[in-house]
Structures are given as C-alpha cells and as structure tokens.
C-alpha cells in the first residue's frame, strides 16, 4: 500500500492509505497542544501558590482534611473568594480552549480536556514542590468547592485527568481518520 500525506484541520497526518493506520501529530497540532500545556502548567503554579499561601495562613501546623468540617477554620468570606477563584479558573481554561486552534466544538472540547487535565495534574506537582504535600496518592484533599466541597484521595483527580488526556487525544485523532477514498469521518 502506498503512503499518503493527507492533512486535516488538527494537523494529523495519515501514514498509509488504510483507515486503521497509526496517525501522528502534525506541526500545527503539536504547537497548539504545547501552548495549551504551557498555559495549563503555568496556571497550575498560580493555583498552587495561592493554595500554599492559604494553607500556611490557616493551617500553620500542617494541612489535614477529614471532611468538610475541616474547612471551618477558614472564614466564610475567604471560602467565597475561593469559590470565585475556582470558577474563574474554569472560565480561563474554557476560554483558552475556545480560542485555540480547534476548528469545531469537538476539537475545542478536546483542547479544554487537555488543558484541564494538565492543569489538575501539575497543580499537585506544584503543591508537592512548594509544600512537600501531598505525601502520597491516598492523601485526602478538597478537590473542588463548587457546588459544595468535593473530598477524595489525590489519586482520584489524577486518574480522571489521565483519562481526560486520553479522551482528548482520541477525539483529536478521530477527527482526522480518513475513510477509504479520502473522505473525512463525521463524529
């Protein structure tokens, strides 16, 4: 079978003529994902720095979460500000994905999942760098405050993020799989 060099909007290139072939990222797709990753990693640092300050202020003897009651030492006004910060973070991640190189809603959704997942994973990496916390994957954390506190071990958002990365890459790949005859598949 002869090799073809097809290009699709996300920048994947098909390496052989059959639709089951392995696709690899083109330059444009890699550049878009790299910039989204850079934003996500930087945003994760900002989030981790804010949380590091809050933990040093409100939990000077160390942070341990047993449940929502563990948040009672944080004033309600600060919790309200935190909820606003979390909402703003989601808006920023969504805005970057909507402004990305994605040509349609599926690609923009994939870019959002990519950025969100990397942000979430690197948030914990930066917390570890800044505070040497979490001590392990079973460490309990407050994952999110919207609409109410989500409390679970750290491995839960990390595993969910890894699945989102896989889903994002699958969506981007699927958008560029060509059927026999060179027509693009609809998803």
């Amino acid at each position: 079978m002869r090799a073809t060099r097809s290009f699709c909007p996300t920048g994947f290139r098909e390496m052989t003529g059959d639709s089951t072939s392995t696709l690899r990222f083109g330059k444009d797709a890699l550049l878009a994902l790299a910039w989204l990753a850079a934003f996500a990693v930087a945003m994760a640092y900002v989030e981790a720095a804010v949380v590091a300050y809050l933990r040093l202020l409100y939990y000077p003897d160390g942070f341990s979460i047993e449940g929502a009651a563990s948040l009672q030492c944080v004033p309600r006004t600060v919790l309200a500000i935190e909820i606003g910060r979390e909402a703003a973070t989601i808006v920023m991640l969504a805005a970057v994905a909507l402004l990305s190189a994605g040509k349609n809603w599926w690609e923009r959704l994939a870019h959002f999942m990519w950025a969100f997942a990397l942000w979430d994973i690197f948030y914990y990496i930066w917390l570890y760098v800044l505070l040497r916390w979490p001590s392990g994957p079973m460490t309990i954390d407050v994952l999110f405050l919207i609409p109410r506190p989500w409390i679970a071990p750290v491995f839960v958002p990390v595993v969910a993020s890894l699945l989102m990365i896989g889903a994002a890459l699958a969506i981007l790949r699927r958008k560029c799989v060509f059927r026999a005859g060179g027509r693009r598949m609809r998803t």
Side-chain angles (χ1 to χ4, degrees), residues 81-109:
I81 292 167
E82 276 300 285
I83 289 169
R85 181 182 61 80
E86 286 183 351
T89 297
I90 299 303
V91 168
M92 285 186 278
L93 289 165
V96 165
L98 289 171
L99 295 170
S100 73
K103 304 290 188 244
N104 57 52
W105 286 104
W106 280 108
E107 290 175 23
R108 291 181 185 122
L109 174 64

Side-chain angles (χ1 to χ4, degrees), residues 48 51-53 55-56 126-133:
V51 169
Y53 295 143
R55 288 186 183 180
L56 292 171
W126 287 123
L127 276 180
Y128 187 79
V129 168
L130 297 171
L131 299 173
R132 295 293 182 248
W133 188 95

Side-chain angles (χ1 to χ4, degrees), residues 4 6 8 10-26 169-178 185:
T4 61
S6 299
C8 73
T10 57
F12 286 101
R13 276 182 260 152
E14 190 171 6
M15 299 310 292
T16 65
D18 76 16
S19 63
T20 61
S21 66
T22 302
L23 299 178
R24 65 178 176 168
F25 284 107
L169 294 175
I171 288 169
L172 293 172
R173 180 181 184 274
R174 182 174 172 90
K175 295 304 292 179
C176 293
V177 172
F178 288 82
M185 290 179 68

Side-chain angles (χ1 to χ4, degrees), residues 39-174:
F39 175 83
V41 171
M43 187 70 217
Y45 180 84
V46 171
E47 293 279 312
V50 169
V51 169
Y53 295 143
L54 290 171
R55 288 186 183 180
L56 292 171
L57 287 170
Y58 293 106
Y59 300 93
D61 298 325
F63 180 75
S64 175
I65 197 86
E66 301 294 323
S70 300
L71 297 173
Q72 288 180 351
C73 70
V74 180
R76 287 196 178 278
T77 55
V78 173
L79 282 175
I81 292 167
E82 276 300 285
I83 289 169
R85 181 182 61 80
E86 286 183 351
T89 297
I90 299 303
V91 168
M92 285 186 278
L93 289 165
V96 165
L98 289 171
L99 295 170
S100 73
K103 304 290 188 244
N104 57 52
W105 286 104
W106 280 108
E107 290 175 23
R108 291 181 185 122
L109 174 64
H111 287 164
F112 173 78
M113 290 190 307
W114 171 263
F116 184 96
L118 289 174
W119 161 74
D120 210 13
I121 290 169
F122 276 90
Y123 167 75
Y124 286 108
I125 291 171
W126 287 123
L127 276 180
Y128 187 79
V129 168
L130 297 171
L131 299 173
R132 295 293 182 248
W133 188 95
S135 58
M138 294 304 291
T139 303
I140 302 296
D141 189 24
V142 178
L143 308 180
F144 216 62
L145 295 171
I146 300 171
R148 59 191 176 112
W150 301 13
I151 298 170
V154 169
F155 81 85
V156 171
V158 171
V159 168
S161 293
L162 292 172
L163 291 172
M164 276 196 283
I165 289 169
L169 294 175
I171 288 169
L172 293 172
R173 180 181 184 274
R174 182 174 172 90

